Amino acid sequence: MDLSTLPTLTALSDCVTIAQLGENKIVRVIHPKASAAVSLHGGHVISFKPEGEEDLIWMSTEAVYDNKTALRGGIPICWPWFGRIAAPAHGFARNSEWHLIEHRESEYGVIISLGLTDSAETRNIWPHKFALVLNVEITEALKVTLNITNTDSAPWRFSGALHTYLNLGDIHTMEVTGMGSSYIDGLQGGKVCQGEDILTLSDTIDRVYTEPSDEIVLHDQTLDRKLSVVNRGDNSAVLWNPWAEGAKSMGDMNDNGYLSMFCIESTLHADSLESGHELASGDSYQLETVISAK
Ligand code: TA6
């Protein structure tokens, strides 16, 4: 995506502007170290390009920027649950309008902070009070931290994910290491399986890896680079690619889209709302992912 062509609505500094993309408002960062873009709808990172690199983040060419639809690609914020254990799928955060709290910049890069708190609309879906702050740190690496605070008077439970779509040259020439070997297979009804230490793909995959290493590495032979993913606050890494049939079945993914994307997700996984992570009143939790090119 060429960020520089998006019309500017407001200039916040030399590096940070609010721009328009379809109906969505985008916080656009163009800094000597990296450029990036974050949609206020969804609190959704849609681009991260360190200087001299191709985008590390994949966005679907068919993504719908109508300020209503969850965006296909980027880093969807799945919260207060991951998956289809309740409706809407992956929670409501990726479909909510976030607000810009602040932006800070230095010679090393820019930090954008967005916020989302409960409203009548969110309490109608999930009856709890909360405050989310999303810090997006744009330097030579991209650090995305979701700060979750229980502002209610009683504890509640949650799960979630930073559902990153990585951009790659060709899925057939990709190898992934560091995800561990134990996984729950979403394509086999949640069967617990043991896999290889190196993952290559020739078909769809939808797995929850339950013992990932500190660093997961995607080796992209076509673009001749390695993408490093370091997650914190997670209990698993979800790896997903819909392959050709899955891509065809999605209205917002072009038929060949699956060839150039792979999801490595920082996930706090739970099988149900009831078995999610408990957060006491007044307490906070952080879910994080750090992505860089080597
Ligand atoms: O994270 C993997 C997954 O849960 C898959 O099962 C797949 O459906 C994907 O997310 C995309 O979900 P979405 O609701 O965005 O279509």
Side-chain angles (χ1 to χ4, degrees):
M1 181 180 313
D2 186 359
L3 297 176
S4 63
T5 59
L6 301 178
T8 300
L9 297 173
T10 318
L12 302 176
S13 73
D14 286 349
C15 301
V16 185
T17 47
I18 306 292
Q20 187 86 41
L21 175 54
E23 299 296 316
N24 292 34
K25 291 195 170 47
I26 305 290
V27 184
R28 171 176 55 191
V29 173
I30 299 179
H31 185 278
K33 294 284 182 200
S35 66
V38 188
S39 166
L40 291 179
H41 180 74
H44 201 126
V45 174
I46 60 171
S47 172
F48 170 65
K49 271 192 229 182
E51 178 54 27
E53 279 288 339
E54 290 216 25
D55 216 313
L56 272 58
I57 300 296
W58 181 89
M59 269 314 289
S60 172
T61 54
E62 307 305 312
V64 181
Y65 299 96
D66 62 358
N67 218 36
K68 294 190 192 96
T69 309
L71 298 174
R72 176 69 58 202
I75 309 185
I77 307 296
C78 304
W79 196 86
W81 55 84
F82 174 80
R84 285 164 180 72
I85 58 176
H90 289 317
F92 52 74
R94 65 174 176 165
N95 246 326
S96 300
E97 195 64 17
W98 294 58
H99 64 276
L100 179 63
I101 299 173
E102 63 170 344
H103 64 98
R104 282 173 281 158
E105 56 194 76
S106 72
E107 60 184 297
Y108 303 109
V110 176
I111 301 177
I112 302 291
S113 298
L114 304 185
L116 179 70
T117 49
D118 57 284
S119 62
E121 210 179 324
T122 66
R123 289 191 297 273
N124 204 19
I125 303 172
W126 190 67
H128 304 292
K129 293 185 181 166
F130 65 86
L132 300 182
V133 175
L134 185 74
N135 284 326
V136 182
E137 201 174 311
I138 299 140
T139 61
E140 283 164 357
L142 173 70
K143 187 200 261 191
V144 179
T145 311
L146 180 64
N147 293 281
I148 302 155
T149 302
N150 181 348
T151 53
D152 218 327
S153 51
W156 40 249
R157 290 178 181 271
F158 71 100
S159 56
L162 304 173
H163 192 306
T164 308
Y165 288 69
L166 294 171
N167 183 37
L168 50 89
D170 180 357
I171 192 82
H172 297 103
T173 66
M174 168 203 84
E175 282 184 3
V176 180
T177 54
M179 67 288 168
S181 52
S182 303
Y183 65 89
I184 302 166
D185 196 345
L187 302 177
Q188 297 188 67
K191 188 176 164 194
V192 176
C193 302
Q194 290 294 314
E196 303 297 323
D197 292 343
I198 299 177
L199 177 78
T200 55
L201 281 195
S202 56
D203 205 347
T204 180
I205 179 175
D206 191 354
R207 298 178 180 172
V208 182
Y209 279 88
T210 50
E211 293 167 5
S213 307
D214 290 345
E215 182 183 37
I216 302 176
V217 180
L218 186 154
H219 306 250
D220 183 339
Q221 285 161 21
T222 301
L223 293 185
D224 192 23
R225 69 180 182 183
K226 291 179 188 168
L227 299 185
S228 158
V229 179
V230 176
N231 296 332
R232 293 190 197 98
D234 57 318
N235 63 8
S236 54
V238 170
L239 271 53
W240 178 63
N241 182 292
W243 219 253
E245 224 172 284
K248 276 210 178 82
S249 72
M250 281 181 266
D252 56 1
M253 189 185 273
N254 50 313
D255 289 357
N256 286 333
Y258 77 98
L259 291 170
S260 55
M261 56 72 59
F262 189 62
C263 288
I264 300 183
E265 309 168 29
S266 179
T267 313
L268 191 60
H269 183 259
D271 291 330
S272 63
L273 292 182
E274 296 70 32
S275 62
H277 184 86
E278 185 174 283
L279 198 62
S281 170
D283 277 4
S284 294
Y285 190 91
Q286 292 190 335
L287 184 63
E288 187 169 276
T289 192
V290 183
I291 300 162
S292 57
K294 291 181 176 176

